[in-house]
Amino acid sequence: QVLLVESGGGSVQAGGSLRLSCAASGDSYGSYCMGWFRQTPGKGRERVALVDRAGTTTYAGSVKGRFTISQDNAKKTLYLQMNSLKPEDTGMYSCAADPILGRLWIGDPAYWGQGTQVTVSS
């Protein structure tokens, strides 16, 4: 079992930055692919960024060049650095983990965090 707890959300103006953190606890942290998703009123759930077990990262086209996913395996923490934020980035951001990349890719991971709210004003 893995427990995921997000933090770092808040309200910022367009063009600002936030860094989200996802602290993991449990067993076999290094064996999981991890990622960030967001839930928005207009678009529903979106895949934002993923990192697989080899460290390869992928991003949604809408955030590529602005967001960076990273992790500190020693601290068992996943991060999402968000720069040049836009109002369209507003939503509830959740981290997720699954040993199988494909299941994470389609948004059906074994583990979800509770989410942290990000609000970007114009």
Side-chain angles (χ1 to χ4, degrees):
Q1 292 290 108
V2 176
L3 177 65
L4 305 173
V5 180
E6 302 96 331
S7 62
S11 297
V12 298
Q13 292 185 331
S17 298
L18 286 172
R19 189 179 76 161
L20 307 183
S21 298
C22 173
S25 61
D27 58 331
S28 303
Y29 175 83
S31 68
Y32 290 92
C33 305
M34 301 191 71
W36 290 95
F37 294 78
R38 65 188 180 191
Q39 187 81 28
T40 62
K43 299 180 181 179
R45 180 183 291 168
E46 299 177 279
R47 182 179 59 251
V48 177
L50 304 177
V51 57
D52 68 15
R53 294 163 63 183
T56 301
T57 58
T58 59
Y59 298 90
S62 59
V63 308
K64 192 173 298 182
R66 299 188 297 121
F67 291 11
T68 303
I69 187 171
S70 62
Q71 57 187 338
D72 185 330
N73 289 329
K75 297 180 179 179
K76 298 196 293 184
T77 301
L78 180 75
Y79 302 98
L80 184 67
Q81 178 67 46
M82 305 185 295
N83 298 325
S84 301
L85 283 162
K86 304 175 180 179
E88 305 93 274
D89 296 317
T90 294
M92 181 68 71
Y93 285 70
S94 299
C95 65
D98 198 289
I100 302 173
L101 179 62
R103 192 157 65 182
L104 186 65
W105 179 263
I106 65 174
D108 189 28
Y111 305 103
W112 284 105
Q114 84 288 352
T116 184
Q117 179 67 35
V118 171
T119 302
V120 184
S121 60
S122 60

